[in-house]
Amino acid sequence: MSPHAPRLAEKTAIVTGAGSRADGIGNGRATAILLARHGAKVALVDQNPEWVARTQAMIAEEGGTSLTVLADVTDPADCARIVAEAMRTWGRLDILVNNVGISGPTGTAVEVDLAAWEHGLRVNVTSMMLMAKHAIPAMMRGGQGGAIVNLASYAGLFGGHPSLLYPTSKGAVVNMTHAMAAHHAADGIRVNAVAPGMVYTPMVYAGGMSEDVRAARRNRSLLKVEGTGWDVGNAVLYLVSDEARWVTGIVLPVDAGASAAPSVYPRYGGAAPAR
């Protein structure tokens, strides 16, 4: 490859949860745009046709290449179809970004609804396993290896969250990442995670957020600077690029330093969850 080629030239990627509300920049949309901006062909996966179409339009405006796949990543057949569509279109798969996640049900172990709990785990954890189940053989088929990034959360690293499902599921993503990295290193597949902190994305502010709550979230960090989907997307970009060729099995906090000194910050209280 030419030293002047884009850093992801000739690579293909799948980003789940690639849509976002209106023109908002969520973690998935930011990641998809950045991967395409740096030369990757990107399969944009989402359940909402309008949201993912807007992401595709944003990529096209910059001259990038993408395709959209409407799918439910909790459905094994849909996960197989996503990978098959990317392979049919571009003939290879190099990158998988498991971005889909929900806040899930509120409540402690005493209060949480069992059906909602099981659904939340399926969305936040099982979907990542299902996508990897189909993506890894495709990466191996090409012989070039690959890179997987799972979206975890600051909430999966520490206690103090008001609900049980979200931190439990994101903690599972952390350890799933470690296990997958060990399982597939011999195949040339790197597996890492990004753990966003209190980023300001459409997922967080869709239900409305007062300026006081927004400021409180911003102040739960060392830098006291608000993060966005672009900050998360740039971390993913690094981890899937050749610059991170010697990096696997890590969980990279993107949280303005909040995880460096968690004991000095107030508990979550009633504020919106991380990511």
Side-chain angles (χ1 to χ4, degrees):
M1 183 184 300
S2 165
H4 303 295
R7 63 200 292 195
L8 299 181
E10 302 179 6
K11 294 187 182 294
T12 66
I14 293 171
V15 178
T16 69
S20 194
R21 293 167 177 81
D23 287 336
I25 300 297
N27 297 334
R29 175 173 283 171
T31 296
I33 291 172
L34 287 167
L35 298 190
R37 185 178 293 169
H38 286 272
K41 300 178 179 69
V42 187
L44 311 169
V45 181
D46 209 284
Q47 286 187 292
N48 188 303
E50 294 180 1
W51 294 1
V52 75
R54 182 62 189 125
T55 303
Q56 185 176 43
M58 290 176 169
I59 289 172
E61 288 165 7
E62 296 188 0
T65 301
S66 67
L67 64 87
T68 63
V69 185
L70 298 179
D72 175 0
V73 292
T74 68
D75 182 337
D78 272 14
C79 293
R81 179 171 59 84
I82 293 163
V83 174
E85 182 67 12
M87 292 293 288
R88 183 190 67 78
T89 304
W90 295 314
R92 62 184 287 163
L93 180 62
D94 304 276
I95 296 164
L96 169 64
V97 181
N98 278 317
N99 171 68
V100 166
I102 59 175
S103 298
T106 60
T108 65
V110 175
E111 301 158 345
V112 69
D113 176 78
L114 179 58
W117 168 270
E118 292 176 342
H119 174 70
L121 288 176
R122 190 165 183 88
V123 174
N124 287 4
V125 184
T126 304
S127 70
M128 297 189 182
M129 177 275 292
L130 289 172
M131 285 302 305
K133 176 183 285 289
H134 297 284
I136 288 169
M139 292 174 178
M140 292 172 61
R141 201 174 308 141
Q144 75 279 352
I148 298 173
V149 176
N150 300 319
L151 266 290
S153 172
Y154 172 95
L157 304 176
F158 302 99
H161 196 283
S163 296
L164 185 63
L165 181 281
Y166 190 75
T168 299
S169 64
K170 291 304 182 178
V173 171
V174 167
N175 283 302
M176 179 170 64
T177 298
H178 293 156
M180 288 173 62
H183 293 163
H184 303 292
D187 303 315
I189 295 171
R190 299 182 299 102
V191 186
N192 295 292
V194 171
M198 294 286 183
V199 291
Y200 190 66
T201 66
M203 174 180 169
V204 171
Y205 63 69
M209 181 180 292
S210 71
E211 286 303 314
D212 286 345
V213 170
R214 189 173 176 182
R217 286 166 54 87
R218 185 168 56 247
N219 288 329
R220 289 191 183 119
S221 69
L222 296 178
L223 297 179
K224 302 191 185 307
V225 174
E226 186 170 77
T228 72
W230 296 116
D231 296 302
V232 176
N234 275 302
V236 175
L237 173 64
Y238 163 67
L239 288 172
V240 303
S241 71
D242 289 343
E243 285 84 350
R245 68 178 188 87
W246 215 46
V247 179
T248 195
I250 72 159
V251 179
L252 176 60
V254 180
D255 60 7
S259 57
S263 63
V264 305
Y265 302 112
R267 294 166 65 87
Y268 283 89
R275 205 174 74 84

